Amino acid sequence: MLCCCVVVCWLRMEEAAKRWVVKLSKWDPHPSDFSFALSLLPSHEHSSVTRFVKLEDRKRALVSRMLQYVLVHNVLQIPFPDIVIKRTLEGKPYLDYDGLRFPNFNFNVSHHGDYVAIASEPVCLVGVDIVSYDVPRGETITEFIQLFSSYFSCMEWDNIVTAGTSDDVLIEFYRYWSLKEAYVKAIGSGLTEGLNKVEFSHTRWTDISAKVNGKVMTQWRFWLFELGDRHCVSIARVHPISAATSYKRTLKKVDFTEDEYTEGLHLPNVDFVQLGIEQLISTLQKA
């Protein structure tokens, strides 16, 4: 039976474990509306949006930035002008702020196809990755997935190519790929080398576990969710000590007691909440 102080601490930590997703096709902004939404972000973030030519790419970049600022404000109650989000050389975002309510608060974002997602954690590192089950153009599904065969273990590859129809094979491929990307993004390495040594096992895409060189990764937790409309999203959660060197330098705390870490690792993985872009705009406007 858990004591009251442990329950209270757990509930407080749960407040920092967020899973949000935005569906882009529900927003078809007039150019002036898009410009207004962009103006709500700090000026130094504008070029990260406007550098894209296609509107869909600009929408993904804009919503990704908006989600980051709204989530930090929502969880930590930091005034918008005081929120400073930086990125490592590998591109992983992190919050540059002292005196955090949750010393190791971190988040990760992903966008692909019609969705943009963000996930955060109070203790453990978090990685999130969305994939759209896009059918390749100009080549067969077999030709397409073969380009990535070196990133999978023999068992994973066998599960992919024997999944069923060509569409089943494609979906199986994307699910495994999403998990591997979430793994890389959690530690902030930006590297995909050696991913064939990270082998995922699952029971109908639940009870997901992983091994590295045959050894079970006990400090990791993984989840995969279907978003609908031929998209899925994966979540990875791991001990901060696993962070890549450049990312580890940004963390406020790496050495947790066993109890602190265990509480963080075993927090319930909350469901994704779908937000509207209008909600993000409204929150930013109130800054």
Side-chain angles (χ1 to χ4, degrees):
M1 183 175 180
L2 293 174
C3 69
C4 291
C5 62
V6 172
V7 172
V8 170
C9 180
W10 197 339
L11 290 174
R12 286 175 178 169
M13 285 203 294
E14 272 196 78
E15 296 173 15
K18 299 293 185 183
R19 310 285 187 264
W20 292 351
V21 65
V22 172
K23 189 172 184 179
L24 293 173
S25 61
K26 292 187 176 182
W27 190 46
D28 184 22
H30 184 275
S32 61
D33 294 328
F34 188 93
S35 296
F36 174 72
L38 180 61
S39 73
L40 298 174
L41 293 176
S43 58
H44 70 270
E45 294 280 19
H46 292 188
S47 62
S48 64
V49 176
T50 58
R51 68 188 180 94
F52 294 103
V53 176
K54 294 181 179 179
L55 176 60
E56 290 306 306
D57 292 331
R58 287 189 172 201
K59 284 168 62 175
R60 292 186 188 100
L62 173 61
V63 173
S64 172
R65 263 57 179 190
M66 293 171 72
L67 277 170
Q68 293 172 53
Y69 282 89
V70 172
L71 181 137
V72 169
H73 175 71
N74 176 278
V75 173
L76 303 176
Q77 303 301 306
I78 300 174
F80 283 109
D82 296 334
I83 297 175
V84 178
I85 296 174
K86 297 182 179 180
R87 286 165 183 79
T88 64
L89 291 175
E90 294 79 13
K92 187 171 175 71
Y94 66 93
L95 180 64
D96 186 14
Y97 190 85
D98 293 323
L100 292 176
R101 179 184 176 195
F102 303 100
N104 216 42
F105 178 79
N106 69 106
F107 57 89
N108 196 222
V109 290
S110 178
H111 52 75
H112 193 217
D114 197 24
Y115 288 92
V116 183
I118 190 167
S120 63
E121 288 286 335
V123 173
C124 294
L125 306 184
V126 63
V128 60
D129 189 71
I130 285 180
V131 293
S132 171
Y133 302 149
D134 294 340
V135 177
R137 297 180 181 180
E139 58 188 338
T140 67
I141 288 174
T142 300
E143 290 170 338
F144 170 69
I145 67 170
Q146 190 65 45
L147 297 172
F148 302 89
S149 60
S150 62
Y151 297 106
F152 299 94
S153 72
C154 292
M155 184 201 74
E156 292 171 332
W157 189 248
D158 186 61
N159 288 342
I160 291 170
V161 299
T162 62
T165 66
S166 59
D167 195 55
D168 293 333
V169 168
L170 184 67
I171 291 172
E172 193 84 352
F173 161 79
Y174 276 127
R175 286 170 175 165
Y176 274 113
W177 187 257
S178 177
L179 284 167
K180 288 176 183 275
E181 284 282 0
Y183 161 79
V184 169
K185 294 175 72 175
I187 59 179
S189 69
L191 299 175
T192 55
E193 293 181 13
L195 278 185
N196 61 312
K197 298 177 183 178
V198 182
E199 182 179 81
F200 288 93
S201 300
H202 61 89
T203 303
R204 296 182 179 180
W205 297 104
T206 62
D207 299 322
I208 300 170
S209 61
K211 297 178 181 179
V212 173
N213 293 321
K215 184 178 180 181
V216 177
M217 299 162 63
T218 58
Q219 293 187 324
W220 287 81
R221 294 292 182 273
F222 297 95
W223 296 268
L224 185 144
F225 302 88
E226 292 293 332
L227 293 175
D229 304 318
R230 294 179 63 84
H231 291 71
C232 77
V233 57
S234 293
I235 293 285
R237 176 191 283 166
V238 67
H239 195 297
I241 203 169
S242 298
T245 302
S246 62
Y247 184 47
K248 190 179 291 185
R249 286 195 290 264
T250 74
L251 300 174
K252 303 300 181 185
K253 186 175 181 181
V254 175
D255 298 319
F256 287 87
T257 67
E258 191 62 29
D259 286 344
E260 288 175 323
Y261 162 65
T262 299
E263 289 171 15
L265 183 65
H266 294 284
L267 285 176
N269 188 57
V270 295
D271 291 332
F272 273 87
V273 175
Q274 186 166 144
L275 302 180
I277 295 177
E278 294 77 10
Q279 291 174 267
L280 303 180
I281 292 174
S282 176
T283 303
L284 289 166
Q285 275 186 285
K286 296 174 183 177

